[in-house]
Amino acid sequence: AGGGKGGDGLGFEVFDNTSAAFGAEEEGQQSKKSLGEKSAPAALNHRLGEMEGTLWTRLAEYHVRAGDFELARSVYEEALDAITRVRDFSLVFDAYVKFEEGVIEALMELMEDDEEEEEENDAGGTTNEATAAADNEDMDILLGDNSHNTLADDDNAGSSADVELAISRAEHLTSRRPLLLNRVLLRQNPHNVGEWIKRSQLYLDLGEVDMAA
C-alpha cells in the first residue's frame, strides 16, 4: 500500500466514481426544442435555463477534481436550494448521491490499504507513521473536516467510524429527497395548496412538529 494521495489524487478518484454515469447520459439529454423566433436575449435565457442543472453539477465536479469536497457539497446544497425544475433537481440530486457514494468507496479503499499495510508492518515488525499520517489526512479531505485524530490509538476503529459517518451522510441525503423535491415544486408555484399539505406531512413524518405547523 502507498502513502496518502492528497487532495488532487483523491479528487480525481472520487470524480471517476461519481461522474462516469453522467457524461454520455447528459449528452443525450440536451434539449432538441427549437427556439423559434425568440430574440437573442430570450434565447440565451432559455438555453441557460435548460442548462441550469448541468452547470451546477459541472461546478461541483470542478471542486471534486480539485479535492475540495466540502466546497463541492456546498455547491450541491446551493443548487438544491436554487433550482426550480424537476429535471434539474433530478440531475443535481443524482450527481450529489453519486458523489457521496464515491466518497464512501474511496474511504473503504483507504481502510483496506491501511489494513494491508498494518499486516505488512506486523510481519516486518515496523511501523510507518508518515504513511499513517498521510492516510489520515486523506480521510480528513474525504470527510470535509479536520476532526480525524492523525495518530489515533486504534486506526482501524477510526477508519471504520469514518466510513460509518460517510454512509450516514449519504443515507441522510437520500432521506431528504422528498422534502427537497417538494421545495422545488413550491418554488415553481408557491400557491400550490396540495404541495404545502404534503410538506406539512413530510415534516410530521420526520417528527418535526414545529416545522409542520
Side-chain angles (χ1 to χ4, degrees), residues 40-90:
L44 179 61
N45 290 335
H46 178 76
R47 294 300 298 171
L48 287 178
E50 287 189 344
M51 294 174 59
E52 185 179 11
T54 300
L55 292 173
W56 278 112
T57 57
R58 291 306 186 196
L59 178 58
E61 287 169 1
Y62 167 81
H63 291 303
V64 174
R65 284 179 180 271
D68 296 326
F69 296 160
E70 197 60 26
L71 276 175
R73 287 190 180 94
S74 296
V75 170
Y76 282 127
E77 289 291 341
E78 186 177 351
L80 293 174
D81 282 338
I83 54 181
T84 58
R85 303 182 185 205
V86 173
R87 173 192 174 281
D88 291 326
F89 169 81
S90 297

Side-chain angles (χ1 to χ4, degrees), residues 120-154:
E120 293 174 1
N121 290 338
D122 289 344
T126 60
T127 59
N128 190 335
E129 292 186 358
T131 300
D135 286 344
N136 286 332
E137 182 180 354
D138 288 346
M139 294 280 190
D140 291 343
I141 295 171
L142 287 166
L143 292 171
D145 58 41
N146 295 314
S147 61
H148 198 288
N149 186 359
T150 301
L151 295 176
D153 293 335
D154 189 348

Side-chain angles (χ1 to χ4, degrees), residues 6 18 61 77 97 103 122 138 148 163 176 185:
T18 57
E61 287 169 1
E77 289 291 341
V97 171
V103 169
D122 289 344
D138 288 346
H148 198 288
V163 172
R176 292 167 56 204
L185 295 173

Side-chain angles (χ1 to χ4, degrees), residues 203-204 207-213:
Y203 276 120
L204 287 175
E208 300 183 20
V209 180
D210 293 340
M211 295 295 296

